[in-house]
Amino acid sequence: MKASEVTQMTDDQLKDELLKLKKEQFNLRFQKASGQIDNTARVRQVRRDIARIKTAQRSRAVAAPAN
């Protein structure tokens, strides 16, 4: 997932994508612990995608005017 894709998503889409990625990360951790993981690079990709989404959410929260 590219940063440009993340910035084009709505807030609800970001929340849904974050939830999906956290579930995937959880499953990947279990696969890694049991030695069944096929694509070890996916762990890093998921972690970075989560960081991208959290960064976008935070920047939107800061940019929004506080009422």
Side-chain angles (χ1 to χ4, degrees):
M1 176 180 306
K2 294 183 180 180
S4 60
E5 295 173 0
V6 173
T7 56
Q8 294 174 354
M9 291 181 167
T10 65
D11 291 340
D12 290 334
Q13 288 174 329
L14 286 175
K15 286 180 186 177
D16 293 340
E17 187 68 23
L18 183 62
L19 183 63
K20 185 185 88 163
L21 287 170
K22 285 194 174 223
K23 286 181 182 179
E24 184 178 354
Q25 184 182 38
F26 180 80
N27 290 330
L28 286 171
R29 277 199 312 260
F30 267 93
Q31 288 177 6
K32 186 177 179 182
S34 63
Q36 297 176 353
I37 193 164
D38 296 326
N39 186 2
T40 56
R42 184 67 185 146
V43 175
R44 184 177 181 183
Q45 290 171 344
V46 169
R47 191 173 67 236
R48 289 186 175 194
D49 286 345
I50 289 172
R52 279 188 193 100
I53 290 174
K54 285 186 173 184
T55 301
Q57 287 177 330
R58 180 68 183 144
S59 65
R60 288 181 187 185
V62 170
N67 290 339

